[in-house]
Amino acid sequence: MTDTPPLPPLDPPGQHPVPPRRWIEGDLNTWERIEEAMEALRARRPEGAEGLEAWLLDRSEFDSLLSAESNRRYVRWACHSEDEAAHAAWLEFQTEFLPRIKPVEDELDRRWLEHPARGALPRERWAVPEREAELAVRLFREENVPLEAEEEEIASEYGRICGSMTVEFEGRTRTLQELAPYQEEPDREKREAAWRAARRRRLEDAPRLEEVFDRLLPLRQRIARNAGFPDYREYKHTAWGRFDYRPEDCLALHEAIEREVLPLLRRMREARRRSLGLEALRPWDLAVDPEGRPPLRPFTRQKEQVAKAAALLEGVHPDFAAELRWMEAEGLLDLETRPGKLPGGFLTTFEDRRVPFIFANSPPTHGGLETLVHESGHAIHALHARWQEPAGNRDAPLEFAEVASMGMECLVLDGLERIYTAGEARQARSAALEDIVSGLVSIAVLDAFQHEVYTRPEAGAATRRSVWLALQERFDSGVDWSGLEEERASAWLSVPHIFEVPFYYVEYAYAQMGALALWRAWRREPAEALARFRRGLALGGSRPLPALFEAAGLRFDARGEGLRELMAEVEEAWAEEALAGGRR
Ligand SMILES: [Zn+2]
C-alpha cells in the first residue's frame, strides 16, 4: 500500500456528469422504496469473486442513495431550523428508518466477511472498506440501535435551542451570528456591549443546555458498555475509526500544544495588548485589528462572497475557482445568514448526483470568506474523489478531509492581494495566523475536556465546570476574565461538536498540522506541493490515513512532534506582517 497508486480519472472542472445507475431507479425517499431495495440485496446469494464484487457494488449504490436522502433531509432542516415539517422529516429518517436499516447492514457486512471469495477481491479497492466492515461488525449491538436514535434526537435539541437564540441589539432583533462581526469594531465599548449581549443570551439557556448534556452523558456511557468498552472515550475512539492513534497520543498532543504553541499565542496576545495600548486584554479585544484599522467587510451578498472566494482560489489553481463557480450555477450553495438557520458551516454531498453542497451562515466579514474557502476545499476534495468505488472510498477520514479545507485556507493566504489592498491583505494575513495558533490551543482544550468528562464515572455540571476551569488556567493565554466567571465557566456550551459529534475535534489539530506543512511546502515549491496535494485528494478515503498524508507529500503526526518547526514558520510569517506595517 506504500506504492504510489494510479490516479482515477478526474472530471474536467465544472463537468460532473450524473453517475450511471447500476440497478436502483429513482430515489430512496420513502420507507417502502428503501425496504424494497434492502430486501432485494438481502435475498441475493453472490457466487465467486465476481459475483461478490458485483453484489458489493450494488450495495454501494444503495448506500449512496440512502446517504443522499439523509443528507437532503438534513440540509432542508439546517436551512430552515424552525420548519417543523423539515425537522420531522429528518427525525423520521434518523429515528424510524435508520433503526430498521442498521441490523440489515450488519447482516450484509457479516455475509461479506464470511464469504469464501472475500480474499480474492482486488486489495487496492477493498482493503479499507473491508476494515470498516470488520469494525462495524465488532461494534454493532442490537440493543444500541434505539439508544443511538435517542441520542440523535436529544443532540438535535441542542441545534434547536441555539438556532433560535436572538437578542435585541442597537434597536433590532439579531441572531448571535449577526452579533459576531461587532467583535471586529475598533470602538471598544461597542465590542464589549455586543460581547456581553451575546454571552448574556447564552447564559440564559445554559441550564437547558446543561440538562441536554446530562441526558446525553449516561446514554453514551451505556452505549459504550453495551459494546464491551470500559468507557465512552475508548468506545468513541474506536468507533471514529482511529486506527492510527490512541487516546494516549491525543494526550501527548495536548502537551505538545502546551509546550510549542501556547508560548507563541502568549507572545501574539502580548503584542496585541501593547499595540492596542491596553492595561489588560479582555475577551472582547481578541478579534479587533490590533493596529486599529477598520474591519474588513469584503462582501454583502452571496454573489460577491462567491466571486471573491473564487478570485482567491484562482490564485491557487484555476480549476479550483472553476469548481466553485460551477457549484454556484448549479444551486449547490446556501451561504447567507438569516434567522432560523443553523449556525456554522458544513459541506455535505448528494450522492445521487455525486455533487457537494455547501451550507454556511456567513457574516459579511473576512471570516465569512474564509469559511467559504474552507468548505470549497472540502468540495474540491469530493469532486476529485467522485469516481472512487465503493461509496466509502469517496469519503476521506476526517483527519485528512480537513487537510483539504484547512490547507486551502492556508494556500490562499499569500494571494490575498487579489481582493484586498496591500494593507488589508496584511491585516487579514496576520489575523489568520493568530487564529491558527489560537485555534490549536482551543482544540487542545476542547479535546482534553472531553477526555476528562467521558473517563469519569460521573461528570455532573459541577465536575464539568471545575474540569473546564482547570483547563482554562492550564492553557491561559493572558486574557483577563475577571468579573466574567460565569461566562468563562460556561463557554464550552457554545461548541456544537461536544453535543452533536463527541470527540470529533482533535482531527482539526492533525489536519491543521498537515495544512501548515502543505503551506510550508507550497511556499518553497508551489507546483510540486500542489500536484502532490491533488494526488492525495483524488484518493478519497481509499487508503489508510498515513498513506493519504504520504500521497499528499505530508506526514501523519500523532503526537505533534513537528509542531515546533511549523510554529517557527508561522511566527516568522506573522512577524513579517507586523514589520511591514511598521508596528515595531
Ligand atoms: Zn471542515
Side-chain angles (χ1 to χ4, degrees):
M1 271 207 181
T2 49
D3 293 342
T4 307
L7 276 186
L10 293 185
D11 295 335
Q15 292 176 44
H16 305 294
V18 178
R21 293 286 181 90
R22 291 177 60 87
W23 68 293
I24 299 176
E25 285 168 25
D27 301 327
L28 298 181
N29 52 4
T30 62
W31 174 248
E32 289 64 36
R33 297 214 38 135
I34 293 171
E35 192 174 33
E36 188 192 344
M38 200 163 70
E39 290 306 322
L41 276 174
R42 206 177 180 182
R44 278 165 58 185
R45 292 286 177 274
E47 281 185 27
E50 245 175 70
L52 177 62
E53 189 165 37
W55 178 71
L56 286 170
L57 289 172
D58 284 352
R59 184 184 168 191
S60 162
E61 183 170 289
F62 170 74
D63 288 341
S64 309
L65 296 179
L66 210 54
S67 133
E69 183 62 25
S70 166
N71 291 344
R72 286 188 187 281
R73 288 179 186 220
Y74 183 71
V75 163
R76 225 168 312 154
W77 176 54
C79 292
H80 311 279
S81 71
E82 282 158 352
D83 178 340
E84 289 300 328
H87 186 241
W90 181 71
L91 264 189
E92 179 189 39
F93 193 94
Q94 296 297 318
T95 62
E96 288 179 40
F97 297 175
L98 269 190
R100 285 187 268 179
I101 295 165
K102 282 179 177 180
V104 177
E105 295 274 16
D106 180 61
E107 186 189 324
L108 301 179
D109 280 339
R110 284 171 199 274
R111 187 171 304 166
W112 169 18
L113 297 175
E114 287 158 10
H115 198 281
R118 162 187 167 182
L121 298 186
R123 303 314 291 158
E124 191 179 87
R125 174 181 271 183
W126 294 102
V128 167
E130 196 176 285
R131 190 173 70 164
E132 298 290 330
E134 281 169 336
L135 179 64
V137 165
R138 186 181 151 208
L139 293 179
F140 181 78
R141 296 290 184 281
E142 190 90 53
E143 65 268 31
N144 275 344
V145 171
L147 301 184
E148 283 160 5
E150 194 185 338
E151 183 193 7
E152 199 60 60
E153 189 166 0
I154 299 173
S156 82
E157 273 299 299
Y158 177 84
R160 300 226 291 173
I161 294 172
C162 295
S164 61
M165 284 184 189
T166 54
V167 292
E168 292 302 313
F169 193 76
E170 294 194 330
R172 213 158 66 70
T173 306
R174 292 164 204 266
T175 64
L176 300 193
Q177 288 70 48
E178 287 176 293
L179 272 193
Y182 282 95
Q183 290 311 300
E184 299 176 9
E185 285 293 325
D187 178 346
R188 197 180 191 209
E189 274 177 31
K190 197 180 261 189
R191 289 202 304 273
E192 178 176 349
W195 190 91
R196 285 183 185 274
R199 289 302 175 116
R200 213 178 299 126
R201 180 64 191 85
R202 287 192 179 279
L203 273 180
E204 262 175 47
D205 274 333
R208 281 176 78 196
L209 296 176
E210 293 270 11
E211 192 254 335
V212 170
F213 198 81
D214 280 332
R215 285 155 64 204
L216 286 171
L217 187 66
L219 193 58
R220 286 174 176 166
Q221 284 163 334
R222 240 173 93 200
I223 289 172
R225 278 196 307 274
N226 285 347
F229 286 82
D231 58 50
Y232 186 72
R233 173 177 74 167
E234 199 65 36
Y235 167 78
K236 202 61 195 175
H237 197 91
T238 309
W240 277 125
R242 296 175 176 176
F243 297 99
D244 304 290
Y245 58 101
R246 300 262 322 130
E248 303 84 78
D249 294 314
C250 299
L251 298 180
L253 176 68
H254 306 158
E255 281 171 23
I257 290 175
E258 188 178 3
R259 198 173 56 241
E260 308 295 347
V261 184
L262 185 59
L264 172 56
L265 181 59
R266 289 195 175 127
R267 288 195 288 281
M268 287 173 153
R269 296 301 200 213
E270 176 54 19
R272 161 178 289 278
R273 186 194 65 78
R274 270 189 287 121
S275 188
L276 286 168
L278 299 172
E279 283 280 308
L281 272 189
R282 302 283 274 161
W284 45 85
D285 298 322
L286 305 180
V288 64
D289 180 63
E291 294 176 38
R293 291 168 288 204
L296 300 171
R297 293 289 177 261
F299 63 92
T300 48
R301 304 308 300 257
Q302 173 164 320
K303 203 171 169 43
E304 201 179 0
Q305 182 183 11
V306 174
K308 296 225 162 138
L312 291 177
L313 294 173
E314 189 91 42
V316 182
H317 198 289
D319 286 359
F320 297 171
E323 300 291 31
L324 180 61
R325 292 194 196 100
W326 169 79
M327 289 182 71
E328 180 185 37
E330 293 287 309
L332 295 169
L333 309 172
D334 185 339
L335 310 176
E336 282 176 337
T337 187
R338 58 174 181 267
K341 197 171 168 184
L342 289 190
F346 61 80
L347 177 115
T348 192
T349 52
F350 297 142
E351 275 275 327
D352 46 353
R353 290 173 56 204
R354 284 194 206 168
V355 293
F357 176 89
I358 298 177
F359 169 95
N361 198 332
S362 306
T365 60
H366 180 66
L369 209 50
E370 281 175 324
T371 301
L372 182 52
V373 168
H374 177 104
E375 304 306 341
S376 298
H378 286 308
I380 287 156
H381 197 178
L383 292 170
H384 272 63
R386 80 190 284 267
W387 295 109
Q388 288 282 354
E389 294 284 4
N393 281 351
R394 297 194 278 276
D395 249 338
L398 300 164
E399 299 83 351
F400 188 71
E402 296 293 340
V403 173
S405 52
M406 297 170 115
M408 204 64 80
E409 285 187 70
C410 288
L411 295 185
V412 303
L413 280 180
D414 294 316
L416 290 173
E417 284 81 357
R418 291 174 157 266
I419 58 164
Y420 290 133
T421 65
E424 289 170 335
R426 277 204 314 273
Q427 176 179 350
R429 210 152 30 228
S430 57
L433 294 166
E434 193 175 334
D435 283 348
I436 286 172
V437 174
S438 75
L440 281 166
V441 172
S442 301
I443 293 164
V445 169
L446 289 165
D447 192 51
F449 177 67
Q450 297 186 80
H451 279 254
E452 292 266 356
V453 165
Y454 288 107
T455 50
R456 289 162 188 253
E458 196 273 329
T463 307
R464 296 197 291 267
R465 183 187 175 100
S466 66
V467 165
W468 177 255
L469 286 174
L471 285 165
Q472 296 302 306
E473 289 301 320
R474 177 180 164 197
F475 287 94
D476 177 51
S477 61
V479 177
D480 178 7
W481 284 80
S482 49
L484 303 166
E485 285 72 19
E486 284 314 305
E487 287 85 345
R488 191 181 201 194
S490 62
W492 67 274
L493 294 171
S494 55
V495 183
H497 298 66
I498 294 181
F499 289 80
E500 294 165 356
V501 280
F503 280 105
Y504 175 21
Y505 222 91
V506 74
E507 288 85 347
Y508 290 119
Y510 292 130
Q512 184 68 76
M513 291 190 280
L516 287 172
L518 170 70
W519 172 65
R520 196 169 178 277
W522 151 271
R523 298 180 94 200
R524 287 159 180 76
E525 299 268 0
E528 164 81 16
L530 196 67
R532 281 174 166 275
F533 180 46
R534 298 189 76 173
R535 191 159 66 207
L537 298 186
L539 286 173
S542 64
R543 297 292 181 281
L545 191 53
L548 293 174
F549 272 80
E550 201 181 302
L554 309 167
R555 182 176 78 88
F556 178 67
D557 181 4
R559 302 170 77 89
E561 286 154 355
L563 274 171
R564 177 172 301 183
E565 189 182 50
L566 296 175
M567 288 305 105
E569 181 96 5
V570 169
E571 183 159 21
E572 197 188 321
W574 170 77
E576 265 170 38
E577 302 306 333
L579 286 174
R583 195 197 302 168
R584 42 179 176 175

